[in-house]
Amino acid sequence: MDWSSYSLADFLMFGPEVFLRLYSRVNRDFWPWPVVTVLASVLMAWLLTLGELWARRAVLALLGMAWVCSGAGFMLRYYGPINSPVEYFGWGFIAQGIALGLTAVVWRPESASPDTSRRRLIALAWLLVVCLLPWLVVMESGEWQALGLFAITPDLTVLASLFSLLLLPRRLRALLLLLPALWAVFSALTLWTLGMTVLLIMPLATLALIPFAISSRQR
Amino acid sequence: MRFRLSRRHFLAGMAAMGLTLRVPGLLADTSSNAITREIPATGEPLPVIGMGTWRTFNVGGDQQLIAQRTQVLKTFFDLGGTLVDSSPMYGSADDVMGQALSALEARDRVFAATKIWTGDENATREQAEVSRRKWQVARFDLLQIHNLLGWEGHLETLKSMKAEGEVRYLGITTSHGRRHRDIERLMATEPLDFVQLTYNLLDREVEERLLPLARERGIAVIVNRPFQGGSLFRRFDSEPLPAWAGEVGCKNWAEFFLKYIVSHPAVTCVIPATTRVDHMRENMGALYGPLPDTSQRERMAQYVRSL
């Protein structure tokens, strides 16, 4: 087969309208779950400021739940039927969520929690990401119901996770950053082909931050 | 007897005129005036404008969009169309088509065409059955091997299925001008009923060998990408139609692009895809009225090249 004659658009079987409506549909169908995810996001910001082990475990457990919810809900039920590779990613997200949950239970940290100022910085960055970036989908679609929330939509769940994963030792963190990197590449190519430059911010930011997230030392 | 035109009669007449102008199908006797071509294998007539579903009917479980696409399909049937083409490659398009056909109770009106799209050459019947269940039709009128993927195994099975009455016609497809040598070889050597290929005012390579060969071999031709994936509109929509467009029966660019294609004597049917009812009406306009002759076709191609 002459692959050089194909373009990315040849592999995309849907248009922007169908894609953007996924966001408003999932928010409407799962109401009031979007409110719960916003409250959980704020709770996680508070937990990130705490240095205790239980708080770190709670952040990882909530993060795991977010990945499972995004994978089982948005990806398998809504996005997968129109874009078949997303089904595989959906199962990957569920597996990653379970891995994060197990990590939360069995993890015994060898180093202390990051210092207070670093924890506050991480929490602030987290809060900015989960509060501001959902509006990118609103900007793209023109519908406020289309908020792309953490724990529901994959791009924001992946990007926000980078900050929480800084709690983990580097080797484990690198392992858990593999799927985010793959998803970010896939998502960026899809959004680029759809011509959604505003939404490209999230996967591109993920790809830009992953090297820092891997190399960042846990203090 | 003198007839005095009252204000009420005048307004009613204007409203009726406006309605009929907006819906050309109301003026047309869709059974007798629609342009048809015979399928060479059987002589069965087929309206020259069909409907594709690539990118347009893959809307997943979005009930609002399914209802909207159902209206697009209804418009297609109301204005005289019959052939609808899909593929397992197009995500949820087969499912959505099945739901739309159910909503319209239109299974007796559709010429159902889909494709076999799997590299597993032993899975022909299995995939055809999955698609049939999604469409909820008794059988497909046409099964085509999508982009020649696994064609050797699929073609043998399709021949058996046709002989056993499980499908009425069989065919092969290509698009974007790919694998034309292989397509030509199969057209010359295999008992194909249909071939589907890309042809439009800018992509005319098939005029040289494949279309003449189809006529010679008695193979029906379905044309995909008649608007080059929409790029013809993006390129020419801001340009004026030529003053002589009416002479070739064209009121808009959609008719101009489509009538160029269906006026080729080897073409049986063209399958534009759309998500909009108003665009479907424009497409279906090409099913009626005069077609350009050979010299007019050349004039159309020259005009587009000059823009």
Side-chain angles (χ1 to χ4, degrees):
Chain A
M1 188 177 282
D2 179 16
W3 289 103
S4 63
S5 66
Y6 287 83
S7 68
L8 285 174
D10 294 329
F11 299 97
L12 213 56
M13 297 293 137
F14 55 93
E17 178 200 23
V18 179
F19 177 74
L20 289 172
R21 278 183 54 81
L22 297 176
Y23 292 85
S24 51
R25 285 174 60 211
V26 78
N27 287 338
R28 184 194 62 218
D29 293 352
F30 283 99
W31 183 261
W33 181 247
V35 177
V36 176
T37 64
V38 171
L39 294 175
S41 302
V42 176
L43 173 67
M44 286 175 75
W46 175 67
L47 290 169
L48 282 167
T49 64
L50 304 177
E52 288 84 353
L53 180 59
W54 68 267
R56 295 157 79 183
R57 289 187 190 278
V59 166
L60 287 175
L62 287 169
L63 202 60
M65 287 171 63
W67 277 75
V68 170
C69 291
S70 180
F74 188 90
M75 298 175 85
L76 286 182
R77 280 190 60 177
Y78 289 83
Y79 195 7
I82 64 164
N83 196 6
S84 54
V86 174
E87 289 190 25
Y88 300 105
F89 274 111
W91 288 111
F93 269 52
I94 292 171
Q96 173 106 344
I98 292 169
L100 285 164
L102 288 174
T103 305
V105 174
V106 303
W107 175 44
R108 301 202 181 285
E110 294 166 2
S111 57
S113 171
D115 59 46
T116 306
S117 61
R118 188 174 158 88
R119 289 198 309 268
R120 286 180 179 166
L121 195 63
I122 290 172
L124 181 63
W126 163 274
L127 210 52
L128 287 173
V129 163
V130 297
C131 290
L132 295 181
L133 295 187
W135 296 92
L136 291 178
V137 191
V138 176
M139 285 171 62
E140 188 76 59
S141 67
E143 278 188 71
W144 70 268
Q145 298 97 326
L147 278 168
L149 294 166
F150 169 74
I152 294 180
T153 60
D155 282 329
L156 185 55
T157 303
V158 167
L159 179 56
S161 296
L162 300 186
F163 300 97
S164 307
L165 291 178
L166 291 176
L167 298 173
L168 294 170
R170 194 183 294 176
R171 195 173 294 173
L172 180 58
R173 196 192 311 155
L175 194 65
L176 291 170
L177 285 171
L178 186 63
L179 186 59
L182 286 174
W183 171 259
V185 170
F186 176 83
S187 181
L189 291 173
T190 304
L191 295 169
W192 173 261
T193 308
L194 287 170
M196 295 181 176
T197 46
V198 173
L199 292 188
L200 261 176
I201 290 172
M202 280 188 279
L204 290 184
T206 300
L207 289 171
L209 288 172
I210 278 178
F212 294 104
I214 291 175
S215 59
S216 175
R217 282 189 299 126
Q218 187 194 22
R219 281 178 286 180
Chain B
M1 188 176 74
R2 290 182 65 187
F3 176 72
R4 288 190 62 188
L5 185 64
S6 68
R7 185 168 176 271
R8 179 191 288 181
H9 285 128
F10 175 76
L11 289 175
M14 291 302 287
M17 189 187 301
L19 186 64
T20 50
L21 284 174
R22 190 165 172 75
V23 188
L26 291 178
L27 282 175
D29 174 354
T30 55
S31 61
S32 60
N33 291 344
I35 303 167
T36 61
R37 289 272 163 72
E38 290 184 354
I39 299 169
T42 59
E44 177 183 352
L46 205 57
V48 293
I49 307 296
M51 191 184 90
T53 56
W54 182 67
R55 278 200 188 161
T56 53
F57 272 63
N58 179 23
V59 301
D62 192 328
Q63 292 304 315
Q64 184 177 317
L65 292 186
I66 290 172
Q68 194 275 337
R69 301 303 193 263
T70 302
Q71 286 308 305
V72 172
L73 184 64
K74 181 179 186 303
T75 307
F76 172 71
F77 286 137
D78 287 350
L79 296 180
T82 61
L83 187 147
V84 177
D85 178 70
S86 186
S87 170
M89 186 192 189
Y90 304 161
S92 58
D94 279 342
D95 287 301
V96 173
M97 184 51 60
Q99 292 179 60
L101 288 172
S102 287
L104 298 173
E105 297 181 354
R107 291 207 168 72
D108 57 337
R109 297 164 74 183
V110 68
F111 185 101
T114 194
K115 306 187 186 81
I116 302 296
W117 180 65
T118 168
D120 182 354
E121 296 180 28
N122 296 313
T124 321
R125 286 177 192 274
E126 185 184 339
Q127 191 171 73
E129 177 59 16
V130 169
S131 295
R132 191 197 66 76
R133 281 203 295 269
K134 289 178 178 176
W135 280 60
Q136 302 166 50
V137 291
R139 64 175 176 174
F140 279 106
D141 295 291
L142 169 61
L143 287 173
Q144 307 151 96
I145 301 166
H146 196 146
N147 287 346
L148 298 183
L149 183 64
W151 70 267
E152 285 170 299
H154 294 318
L155 191 56
E156 287 310 307
T157 309
L158 288 178
K159 287 178 192 172
S160 302
M161 291 175 69
K162 185 183 167 188
E164 293 157 16
E166 292 179 51
V167 63
R168 297 172 62 214
Y169 301 103
L170 60 85
I172 55 175
T173 79
T174 182
S175 66
H176 300 74
R178 296 182 186 118
R179 299 188 69 174
H180 277 188
R181 282 187 187 170
D182 293 331
I183 291 281
E184 185 177 343
R185 182 166 53 86
L186 291 179
M187 287 173 69
T189 57
E190 294 290 347
L192 302 175
D193 300 312
F194 278 83
V195 62
Q196 184 179 139
L197 40 76
T198 295
Y199 178 41
N200 57 57
L201 261 164
L202 295 184
D203 300 314
R204 297 171 55 193
E205 183 193 333
V206 294
E207 287 177 354
E208 292 171 18
R209 299 178 68 90
L210 295 187
L211 292 180
L213 181 60
R215 286 195 84 184
E216 181 189 323
R217 294 276 296 160
I219 299 171
V221 175
I222 296 176
V223 171
N224 59 37
R225 294 179 61 81
F227 305 136
Q228 216 180 40
S231 67
L232 290 186
F233 287 115
R234 289 190 288 277
R235 201 160 155 184
F236 297 115
D237 223 10
S238 58
E239 303 286 348
L241 276 174
W244 42 266
E247 296 171 26
V248 291
C250 299
K251 299 184 292 297
N252 51 56
W253 277 112
E255 290 183 18
F256 194 88
F257 298 142
L258 293 173
K259 284 205 168 181
Y260 176 81
I261 294 167
V262 299
S263 59
H264 192 291
V267 171
T268 312
C269 182
V270 59
I271 48 170
T274 180
T275 61
R276 290 172 47 170
V277 168
D278 58 333
H279 287 173
M280 176 55 80
R281 287 199 182 108
E282 287 187 357
N283 293 345
M284 296 309 285
L287 188 58
Y288 301 94
L291 285 179
D293 58 27
T294 308
S295 63
Q296 287 170 322
R297 279 171 49 79
E298 192 47 45
R299 199 177 180 194
M300 292 168 87
Q302 276 176 3
Y303 180 74
V304 165
R305 276 200 302 271
S306 73
L307 294 176

